[in-house]
Amino acid sequence: MTPPARPRREELAREWMRAVYPTAYVPLSPAEIERFLRGLVDVIADAVQADPFTVEPVAVVGERLVKAHFNGPDTLQRTVEVLGRTLLFTPELEDVPQLPEKVVAILGSLSTSFAIAMRLDAFDQQEEIKRALMAAKTRAERVAKVSESRFREVFTTAAFGIAITDLRGVCVQANQALAEMLGTPHAELPGRKLIEVFHPDDREALAGKYRAVGAGRVDRFREQRRLVGGDGDPVWVHLAVSLLRDADGAPAYHVTMAEDVTELHLLQKNLDYQLLHDSLTGLSNRQHFATRLEAMHKSAPDGITLYHLDLDAFSVVNNGLDHQAGDDLLREVARRLKNTFSGEQAVVARIGGDEFAVVVANRPETPKVPQVVERITAALEAPMPSGAALSAGIGVVDRPAASWPVDELLRAANATLRRAKAKGKGQWQTYDRPEDTRSRTWLGRAARMPGALRDSELEVEFRPVVDLASRTAVGQVARLRWDDLEHRECVEMAEANGLSLKLGQWALREAAEAASVWSAGALHVELSPMQSRDEDLVATVKRVLDETGLPGASLRLYLDTRAMLDEPGDNAEVLREMGIALALSGFNGGQAELSLLGELPVDALVLAPSVVRRLAVEEESLPHQAIGLMISTIRASGYAVYVPDVPTPELAEWWGKREADAAFGPFTGEPLPGYEL
């Protein structure tokens, strides 16, 4: 029995695959190539066995090989070798008559069809390349036309000016926008040197820039420069200049584009002015003044003098008339100050709501500080159009050391101004370094007080309130302490930094908590001015009593006399109804203060510490006699008199002879913390 033919054909296809696989790149795997060649083997074997025999079916084999990219230089040779050897000895074909002649004919037909297919494939590739080249050429021509059309459109219709100049700077082409920008007929621009249309101050610098671009040292440059229009006015433009090269890459032309930014430039100048000047008065603002101050301080050979002014009672005009009148007044003050210093090398500025500053670069003929202050005062005292007239507090820093920074100059002037205003309206003062150092130390400590309260650095101590008749303690008065600072200084600092109310509430709570567990008599607490005026005082006191358990009858509160004169309110009435004893502290004995005794439900008064200090350093005099008469009169009216801050036992005895009821102060020894009572 004859074995099946298919396995023999598969072996032939596998051997063919091994022969041609290395000869050409075909994007197929060996298995896929073998399946492809198996189909061609079938075509060849069928053609050999066909009767009648013809080679026509084999022509497709060469075509298919080329089409499948089996087109390497050795592909055909190896194909002929494999087929010529294997077809003659294939068992399936042994009985085919004239087998060698048929194999030769088949191989010839295969070779011919392969060669023809290769030639046609080459032609096809050439046609493809030619078509691609033609298409590319067509596209390039189309793009060039479109590009040229677009360039022409941009060149003629652009809102910004465009000029093309040769390397000598002569204008070759310019668009209508540039002509309109310059106010020049368009026909006059070609043939003209472009540098001539720029402002004379800019020409030299621009010529150097153009040369640098033409020489290839820089690719392009952008700058803001001025053109000169036909009317002679400058036209601010933003320039963009670049280089055009010829086909060989050599520099050929400059392209200059100019965007008109005149309005933007003017707007920027206006914004810069507004940024550095006060919008109401037109004077320099604080930022500009600081810059000018620094420059003048460094350059003035005879030094500078700095004046810091704060208008007195400006709020009276602003609120009494109206804000428009206030604005008019500020403008008039600015005008008068400028006139006052018109003959000097000076800068006048508005640096705050109603604050002004002037820095003068001193010269030999510059008036002395007192004369300048007199001129300022005279200028402000003259009635304004509204009928108002003003005075000003003035702080002066005269010829400071050159090493002073601007911030320190401004701070020193402000500090000096504040000390001048503390003396009253219309006062002036020059900088005093020792006083400034003391003041700055005090203010620095006042600024740190809130943190000290948070960190429990403040304490409440107690001094006995001594009955001057029996020399026995009838209670304890709460006093604040912060390191070396005693009660009065702590209260003054708290009033200065706005901590007075919070500190007073804390001190009241601390004192009441300590008093709730002792048997040392009534608790005396002196309230600060702010605390005395507090609308929530009653609620605060009630809350403290409820939280600590201290009876109201064990508490005596000292209300600040001056605060009660300003705003008596209803606090005293309600506190008295709660069983709390009340007194007036800081009592000087004036007529208005005496009238409070009949208006408020108080049963005692506490003399002002300043009265005690003044009498302690003077010999027996009229004030001593007067205070004795006042105490007698007040006690005869049913009020007790307390004396604070008594320094020595001798003075305590003196006050006892004047019939004062009780006293407290250093004469009893050092104050004690609550836990030691």
Side-chain angles (χ1 to χ4, degrees):
M1 182 176 180
T2 304
R6 184 169 298 278
R8 305 297 293 175
R9 295 188 182 188
E10 290 175 352
E11 291 174 7
L12 176 56
R14 187 174 299 114
E15 189 172 350
W16 192 2
M17 182 273 295
R18 291 173 182 159
V20 299
Y21 180 73
T23 63
Y25 171 74
V26 180
L28 298 173
S29 66
E32 291 173 326
I33 293 173
E34 186 177 333
R35 284 196 296 274
F36 169 72
L37 295 177
R38 175 70 175 78
L40 299 183
V41 168
D42 288 342
V43 172
I44 294 170
D46 292 344
V48 171
Q49 293 175 318
D51 188 18
F53 170 75
T54 176
V55 296
E56 290 181 7
V58 181
V60 299
V61 174
E63 295 174 5
R64 290 183 184 178
L65 283 172
V66 173
K67 191 173 181 180
H69 302 295
F70 287 98
N71 52 6
D74 299 330
T75 303
L76 179 59
Q77 178 184 346
R78 295 197 178 187
T79 296
V80 171
E81 290 176 355
V82 170
L83 294 179
R85 183 178 65 253
T86 55
L87 288 175
L88 293 175
F89 300 100
T90 300
E92 180 185 351
L93 304 177
E94 327 181 297
D95 298 332
V96 174
Q98 298 179 333
L99 179 60
E101 291 83 354
K102 291 181 179 180
V103 169
V104 171
I106 285 174
L107 293 179
S109 176
L110 187 152
S111 299
T112 301
S113 65
F114 184 90
I116 293 172
M118 286 287 288
R119 187 169 62 254
L120 293 176
D121 183 61
F123 288 157
D124 290 343
Q125 291 183 23
Q126 290 174 1
E127 280 298 312
E128 243 178 80
I129 293 172
K130 185 170 74 174
R131 284 195 299 271
L133 288 173
M134 289 300 295
K137 179 176 179 295
T138 302
R139 284 197 300 272
E141 291 174 349
R142 187 181 300 116
V143 168
K145 289 180 180 178
V146 171
S147 177
E148 183 177 354
S149 175
R150 286 176 180 171
F151 171 77
R152 185 57 53 190
E153 181 70 16
V154 170
F155 188 84
T156 56
T157 64
F160 49 86
I162 305 175
I164 299 175
T165 57
D166 61 22
L167 298 183
R168 296 173 301 159
V170 176
C171 182
V172 178
Q173 279 184 291
N175 66 350
Q176 184 63 33
L178 182 61
E180 292 174 358
M181 200 178 295
L182 292 167
T184 302
H186 181 254
E188 294 183 6
L189 290 177
R192 183 180 179 185
K193 281 205 167 187
L194 188 64
I195 201 71
E196 295 175 358
V197 305
F198 288 100
H199 193 279
D201 294 343
D202 294 342
R203 289 174 186 172
E204 185 176 350
L206 278 173
K209 296 274 188 178
Y210 273 97
R211 285 193 296 269
V213 172
R217 293 195 297 274
V218 294
D219 292 334
R220 61 185 60 84
F221 71 86
R222 298 174 184 269
E223 287 192 6
Q224 187 166 297
R225 293 289 182 175
R226 291 165 294 177
L227 302 176
V228 179
D231 54 4
D233 292 335
V235 179
W236 284 91
V237 294
H238 186 79
L239 291 178
V241 178
S242 57
L243 186 66
L244 279 181
R245 297 179 181 273
D246 61 19
D248 298 326
Y253 299 99
H254 287 117
V255 177
T256 301
M257 290 185 286
E259 181 183 6
D260 188 346
V261 293
T262 302
E263 291 186 5
L264 183 62
H265 179 77
L266 294 176
L267 176 61
Q268 184 64 51
K269 285 186 65 176
N270 188 39
L271 290 175
D272 290 343
Y273 182 86
Q274 292 181 18
L275 182 65
L276 299 175
H277 292 79
D278 175 51
S279 59
L280 179 65
T281 63
L283 298 177
S284 295
N285 61 14
R286 189 180 190 90
Q287 178 183 353
H288 189 224
F289 181 75
T291 303
R292 295 294 305 277
L293 172 61
E294 182 177 21
M296 293 173 67
H297 185 39
K298 290 179 178 178
S299 61
D302 295 324
I304 62 168
T305 301
L306 176 60
Y307 299 86
H308 190 173
L309 293 76
D310 186 12
L311 302 181
D312 295 325
F314 172 70
S315 60
V316 174
V317 176
N318 214 25
N319 298 322
L321 299 177
D322 54 40
H323 287 282
Q324 183 59 49
D327 289 347
D328 293 341
L329 184 143
L330 290 173
R331 280 190 284 265
E332 181 63 18
V333 168
R335 187 186 67 80
R336 294 185 183 187
L337 287 176
K338 289 181 70 174
N339 290 340
T340 300
F341 291 93
S342 60
E344 301 293 334
Q345 184 182 344
V347 176
V348 182
R350 181 187 177 204
I351 60 175
D354 58 351
E355 293 187 33
F356 296 82
V358 184
V359 57
V360 179
N362 291 307
R363 297 175 295 181
E365 62 272 21
T366 300
K368 301 299 182 183
V369 169
Q371 295 174 277
V372 174
V373 170
E374 287 180 6
R375 292 181 182 180
I376 295 173
T377 302
L380 297 180
E381 284 178 346
M384 306 284 174
S386 63
L390 291 177
S391 61
I394 306 174
V396 184
V397 181
D398 187 31
R399 290 177 170 83
S403 59
W404 279 31
V406 170
D407 290 347
E408 179 62 16
L409 282 172
L410 293 172
R411 187 209 62 78
N414 181 266
T416 306
L417 169 65
R418 299 307 156 199
R419 287 196 295 276
K421 289 185 71 68
K423 293 183 176 182
K425 299 186 186 310
Q427 301 298 307
W428 68 278
Q429 194 168 13
T430 57
Y431 176 75
D432 183 334
R433 181 179 287 276
E435 178 60 29
D436 182 58
T437 300
R438 286 191 294 271
S439 174
R440 195 171 185 181
T441 300
W442 190 91
L443 290 171
R445 197 158 187 181
R448 293 193 299 272
M449 180 178 263
L453 178 60
R454 178 199 61 203
D455 298 335
S456 302
E457 295 178 20
L458 276 81
E459 302 173 277
V460 176
E461 298 179 329
F462 299 89
R463 287 188 181 276
V465 180
V466 177
D467 183 285
L468 294 178
S470 64
R471 292 302 181 99
T472 58
V474 294
Q476 300 286 332
V477 62
R479 314 303 278 167
L480 289 166
R481 176 174 290 278
W482 180 21
D483 295 335
D484 59 325
L485 298 182
E486 296 186 352
H487 181 79
R488 297 292 172 198
E489 293 171 296
C490 290
V491 172
E492 289 173 4
M493 284 187 178
E495 286 286 317
N497 63 23
L499 190 65
S500 178
L501 187 59
K502 183 177 180 180
L503 180 61
Q505 293 171 347
W506 171 83
L508 177 61
R509 175 73 170 72
E510 291 287 308
E513 188 170 19
S516 65
V517 295
W518 73 31
S519 57
L523 170 64
H524 295 239
V525 178
E526 180 181 2
L527 303 181
S528 69
M530 188 179 295
Q531 198 174 9
S532 300
R533 292 190 296 266
D534 182 21
E535 294 182 356
D536 295 327
L537 176 61
V538 172
T540 299
V541 173
K542 185 176 185 307
R543 183 171 62 253
V544 168
L545 295 180
D546 291 343
E547 291 175 354
T548 62
L550 180 70
S554 298
L555 178 63
R556 179 182 289 275
L557 295 179
Y558 298 173
L559 299 172
D560 183 76
T561 300
R562 187 169 297 277
M564 292 298 98
L565 285 172
D566 294 337
E567 299 179 27
D570 299 326
N571 283 339
E573 294 286 350
V574 179
L575 290 171
R576 191 57 181 266
E577 291 173 2
M578 294 168 59
I580 298 171
L582 301 176
L584 287 175
S585 65
F587 197 88
N588 281 292
Q591 182 177 352
E593 294 177 342
L594 289 170
S595 67
L596 280 177
L597 295 177
E599 297 175 7
L600 297 176
V602 299
D603 53 18
L605 58 86
V606 183
L607 295 179
S610 60
V611 173
V612 179
R613 287 195 300 271
R614 189 178 304 114
L615 296 181
V617 297
E618 295 180 0
E619 299 295 334
E620 288 288 336
S621 60
L622 179 60
H624 290 79
Q625 298 174 24
I627 200 72
L629 292 173
M630 184 184 72
I631 291 175
S632 297
T633 303
I634 291 173
R635 292 190 76 252
S637 301
Y639 299 97
V641 176
Y642 295 166
V643 184
D645 299 345
V646 178
T648 64
E650 291 76 16
L651 283 172
E653 184 177 352
W654 185 91
W655 284 105
K657 291 177 181 179
R658 299 305 182 274
E659 298 183 347
D661 292 273
F664 56 88
F667 79 94
T668 61
E670 293 296 322
L672 298 175
Y675 61 82
E676 292 189 18
L677 293 177

